[in-house]
Amino acid sequence: MKRALASLSLTLACAAVSQGTAATLTFACDSVGQGYDECKKGADAWAKRTGNTVRLIQVPKETDSRLALYQQQLGARSADVDVYMIDVVWPGLIGQHLLDMKKYIPAAEVSRHFPAIVQNNTIGGKLVGMPWFTDAGVLYYRTDLLKKYGYKAPPKTWNELATMAQKIQAGERKANSRFVGFVFQGKNYEGLTCDALEWIASFGGGTIVDGIGKVTVNNAKTVQALQAIQGLVGTVSPQAVTTYGEEEARNVWQAGNAAFMRNWPYAYAAGQQKDDPKTKENEASPIRGKIGVAALPAGPGGKPAGTLGGWQLAVNAYSKNPKEAADLVRYLTGLQEQKRRAVQASYNPTIASLYKDKDVLKAVPFFGSLYDVFTNAVARPATVTGSKYNQVSDAFSTAVYSVLTKKSAPGPAMKTLEGQLNRIKGRGW
Ligand code: GLC
């Protein structure tokens, strides 16, 4: 059966080549963690089935830098890249340069994905990106160290986190001077917007701009949240946390040098890396088997909040190969490939039924236990601020950064930010 299928796909591939219909697509995908390798596996599998070729290009690690580059390319109507992986906060920023996937992918397939994400990706009736994987911020903790220091469960509040991190850090530093309590994304970029939204939402401080476009960031709970996190920097979090993105935080954590980490789900599979006996290329992760994952802590009287992240696949409206590009997107966002990526690399599917799949749950148990965190994640105010979202996010992360680096106190920083955001808003978003 397998051989018959293989020879069938080879025949199809040869037919495509001999008719001169084979296309070479350029794909701007991922570069964080196992991102590039996993994109390549999926794209190669599609290429093999169809006889087309996919050229994967190197993309910047940070979402902000990717956006700036892609806005330049699309603004110039460049056909260089056929398929882009786009962030959940971009549809309103670049949607006008992307094809409507509804013209290429049957409605029954689209409707298998979480409706909120499909809606997020729909701009003026056009589905500008197919949901590929979703994300929410989670708390990673070291199960062995919690046990060693007498804790039965991960922290439920930011205060508890500070106390636990302090105790574990003090103990571990006796043997390891590099050990720290808590790492997160503290540098001034989109990742800090995500982390800071979690802090303030979990204190009940809202979402920077509310659902009807009102700037809400200057409130007492937001200020309290920022005060609490400012107090972590230089105590249980290293000063250098203000230079960390996702991967810098993960490197500290995965080397075994942190008790807690805030990150996205991809960091789970990376931390569980086994030694590869054949290639010897990948060394086993030193924290394999010692990783716990929980909802992030809450503020006093608040509820835990994980920021909604995630990525879609989109076809460049100026592509010379729209049909093939859409077929690649259809394959990669389909059930089989989403399952493979969930099991092998802990990327959250956007297809609800996969959260009940036993192979998925066995590989990534917290996809089941934290299902609510993923389906109730807090959205950044991207839809409501539309084409001004990146200005909003930039002003917000810059203000938070000035608090973390103790250049400003939280109260005055939020007051100034409120004025800035209202100026960006002008007469409306
Ligand atoms: C993750 C999220 C994405 C977010 C980014 C910030 O990649 O999926 O939505 O913008 O992190 O660094």
Side-chain angles (χ1 to χ4, degrees), residues 343-375:
V343 170
Q344 294 183 6
S346 64
Y347 288 110
N348 283 69
T350 57
I351 299 175
S353 64
L354 284 173
Y355 289 81
K356 299 204 179 90
D357 183 291
K358 62 177 190 333
D359 301 330
V360 170
L361 293 176
K362 183 161 171 248
V364 197
F366 70 88
F367 280 2
S369 56
L370 298 184
Y371 185 69
D372 286 353
V373 171
F374 300 119
T375 47

Side-chain angles (χ1 to χ4, degrees), residues 63 87-89 135 189-191 194 246 264 308-311 380:
T63 176
D87 200 338
V88 68
V89 288
D135 254 345
Y189 77 123
E190 185 65 26
C194 296
E246 283 82 3
W264 307 100
L308 176 71
W311 294 82
R380 285 162 275 174

